[in-house]
Amino acid sequence: MRTLLLLWLLVYRSCALEILFDFIHVSGMGFHSTTETNASVTTKSLCSCRQQCFSQSFCNAWTASKVNAHYECHFSIHGPQPPTSPSPQPGAVYSYKITGLSGLIDVHEGTDGDMYFVPDKELNFSTAINYCQNIPGFQLALLKTREQIEIANTISLQIQDSFHIHLTHKDPSTQIWGDGTELTEDLKDLVKIP
């Protein structure tokens, strides 16, 4: 069974995450250390850091931290997976190219504003949850609207496979989404879990 990763643009756009020119930006994260980087510069703005990365053909990810009146920017050839998986860093900004997500075969931008990614490998449910949580800004899909379910069904038909979503049984009559909310009655007939 495949995994459907959901990038929650609408939820995070106002606080921690956005997509700009095929880069995903996540606030509050950065490289573990400068040894994971291929180049560094000091600039006056985050925009300059981003522009520097755009101008470097090797750059697949960058991070910036404000130091006094300037930003220290670090660039890497690697996306957000080992050896340069980012770590929490208050005040830092981490940005990576969508194409830097190795192992992802299909990207779908839904009409709901969310982006859906399907990895090229099959994962069991618990591994799928961890896989998604290890990519900054991602989580295993929560399909909470009819539109999201329709988008997921379309993706399932396109990849000719079923996939995991973050929905579990609390008890025989109650299903719980990964964020702790219950599956609503009006969607129970549309979502099937084993």
Side-chain angles (χ1 to χ4, degrees), residues 16-18 24-30 92-96 136-137:
L17 181 117
E18 67 176 308
I24 296 174
H25 301 281
V26 184
S27 298
M29 298 196 84
V93 174
Y94 174 74
S95 182
Y96 62 94

Side-chain angles (χ1 to χ4, degrees), residues 3-21:
T3 300
L4 183 66
L5 290 76
L6 179 57
L7 178 59
W8 286 106
L9 291 178
L10 295 179
V11 173
Y12 289 117
R13 190 165 294 224
S14 62
C15 56
L17 181 117
E18 67 176 308
I19 292 185
L20 184 63
F21 303 114

Side-chain angles (χ1 to χ4, degrees), residues 3 5 100 112 135 147 154 166:
T3 300
L5 290 76
D112 58 354
I135 302 173
E147 183 178 16
T154 300
H166 203 164

